[in-house]
């Protein structure tokens, strides 16, 4: 089955700096890669996603890049703000079904 | 804001109690899910319903019993739980199950404590 690894497990940045979270996957059949943000006491919220036919996608301060050859994808947050502090999960979905394989999560802290 | 609504937000139950978690979505999605999440861990899939039929049961103990009364509602019936079942239970939905990259939308979760 698919195996998704996520790094780092914790990340602290100064407000205004950029944050990068990286994930690798093992199954070349995976073709959909969402990112979820989970604030304390809440459910995961989809913040951005990318499909395998696209190399990069951007939504305001958030961007995701995908390298299919290397089987890795990354979340980039620019101009970080304290409200970006949360746990971020990457996930991969295989072609033939909708089973989501989650990474282990990254706890991001933005220091004011 | 999430369009998947879960009740109750918090539940404390004894090991001999019977309780239910409820979930509702009005996005017209035909697949609904139950996930279990422990602290500092990713969500773990428990059940998947597609078109109101159980499609996936990830070897969940029978003390957890899912029910899908209609395409908008999903319940999780709880009976004779153990303290280690204490966790955040997340409901989710997507447009379909057997499809490429159907986005999954989560509810806010129900915090369950078993005493």
């Amino acid at each position: 089955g698919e195996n998704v690894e996520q790094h780092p497990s914790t990340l602290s940045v100064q407000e205004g700096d950029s944050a990068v979270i990286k994930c690798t996957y093992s199954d070349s059949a995976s073709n959909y890669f969402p990112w979820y943000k989970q604030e304390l006491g809440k459910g995961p919220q989809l913040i951005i996603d990318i499909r395998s036919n696209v190399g990069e996608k951007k939504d305001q301060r958030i961007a995701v890049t995908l390298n299919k050859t290397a089987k890795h994808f990354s979340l980039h947050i620019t101009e970080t703000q304290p409200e970006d502090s949360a746990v971020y999960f990457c996930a991969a979905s295989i072609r033939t079904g909708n089973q989501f394989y989650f990474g282990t999560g990254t706890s991001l802290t933005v220091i004011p | 804001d999430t369009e998947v609504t879960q009740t109750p937000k918090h539940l404390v139950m004894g090991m001999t109690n019977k309780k239910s978690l409820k979930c509702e979505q009005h996005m017209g999605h035909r697949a609904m899910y139950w996930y279990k999440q422990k602290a500092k861990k990713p969500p773990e899939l428990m059940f998947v319903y597609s078109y109101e039929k159980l499609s996936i049961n990830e070897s969940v103990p029978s003390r957890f019993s899912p029910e899908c009364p209609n395409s908008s509602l999903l319940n999780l019936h709880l009976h004779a739980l153990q303290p280690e079942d204490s966790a955040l239970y997340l409901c989710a939905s997507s447009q379909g199950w057997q499809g490429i990259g159907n986005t999954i939308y989560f509810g806010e979760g129900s915090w369950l404590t078993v005493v």
Side-chain angles (χ1 to χ4, degrees):
Chain A
E2 175 65 280
N3 180 45
V4 179
E5 294 188 357
Q6 183 171 347
H7 299 281
S9 57
T10 59
L11 179 60
S12 292
V13 299
Q14 292 289 333
E15 183 177 357
D17 287 351
S18 295
V20 180
I21 303 170
K22 299 182 179 182
C23 288
T24 61
Y25 61 98
S26 59
D27 191 340
S28 57
S30 291
N31 69 341
Y32 176 63
F33 308 92
W35 285 88
Y36 289 87
K37 175 185 180 182
Q38 187 170 23
E39 297 177 357
L40 195 62
K42 296 190 174 184
Q45 298 298 310
L46 179 74
I47 55 171
I48 197 166
D49 56 10
I50 192 167
R51 300 182 191 276
S52 60
N53 59 346
V54 175
E56 183 175 1
K57 184 176 178 181
K58 194 172 182 181
D59 182 4
Q60 299 182 349
R61 296 186 297 108
I62 294 173
V64 58
T65 58
L66 171 65
N67 183 327
K68 285 190 295 183
T69 304
K71 297 201 197 75
H72 66 72
F73 56 112
S74 301
L75 178 71
H76 304 255
I77 306 174
T78 59
E79 300 173 19
T80 54
Q81 301 167 3
E83 50 266 38
D84 294 328
S85 296
V87 177
Y88 291 81
F89 291 102
C90 64
S93 176
I94 64 172
R95 192 187 309 275
T96 56
N98 207 34
Q99 173 70 296
F100 272 33
Y101 296 88
F102 285 93
T104 48
T106 296
S107 178
L108 173 65
T109 302
V110 179
I111 304 165
Chain B
D1 289 340
T2 181
E3 296 183 64
V4 178
T5 304
Q6 291 187 242
T7 56
K9 291 196 186 310
H10 298 274
L11 177 63
V12 179
M13 62 184 290
M15 289 189 284
T16 58
N17 292 160
K18 284 185 182 181
K19 297 285 185 182
S20 297
L21 305 180
K22 296 185 182 300
C23 176
E24 189 170 5
Q25 59 88 13
H26 292 290
M27 295 180 280
H29 289 174
R30 303 316 299 260
M32 296 187 75
Y33 310 74
W34 280 114
Y35 282 82
K36 173 183 178 180
Q37 187 178 28
K38 291 284 217 178
K40 300 185 187 296
K41 297 290 187 182
E44 297 175 23
L45 183 64
M46 299 175 71
F47 303 103
V48 179
Y49 273 83
S50 177
Y51 289 85
E52 300 158 48
K53 293 201 183 324
L54 185 63
S55 296
I56 297 285
N57 176 342
E58 291 286 352
S59 303
V60 179
S62 59
R63 57 186 184 269
F64 295 91
S65 175
E67 178 196 19
C68 190
N70 60 53
S71 60
S72 300
L73 295 175
L74 186 65
N75 299 322
L76 186 62
H77 302 297
L78 314 170
H79 174 53
L81 295 192
Q82 303 297 310
E84 57 264 30
D85 296 322
S86 298
L88 178 67
Y89 288 85
L90 294 162
C91 176
S93 70
S94 65
Q95 275 195 325
W97 163 244
Q98 290 292 334
I100 297 174
N102 280 306
T103 302
I104 290 181
Y105 297 93
F106 287 91
E108 296 287 25
S110 292
W111 287 94
L112 173 66
T113 303
V114 181
V115 298

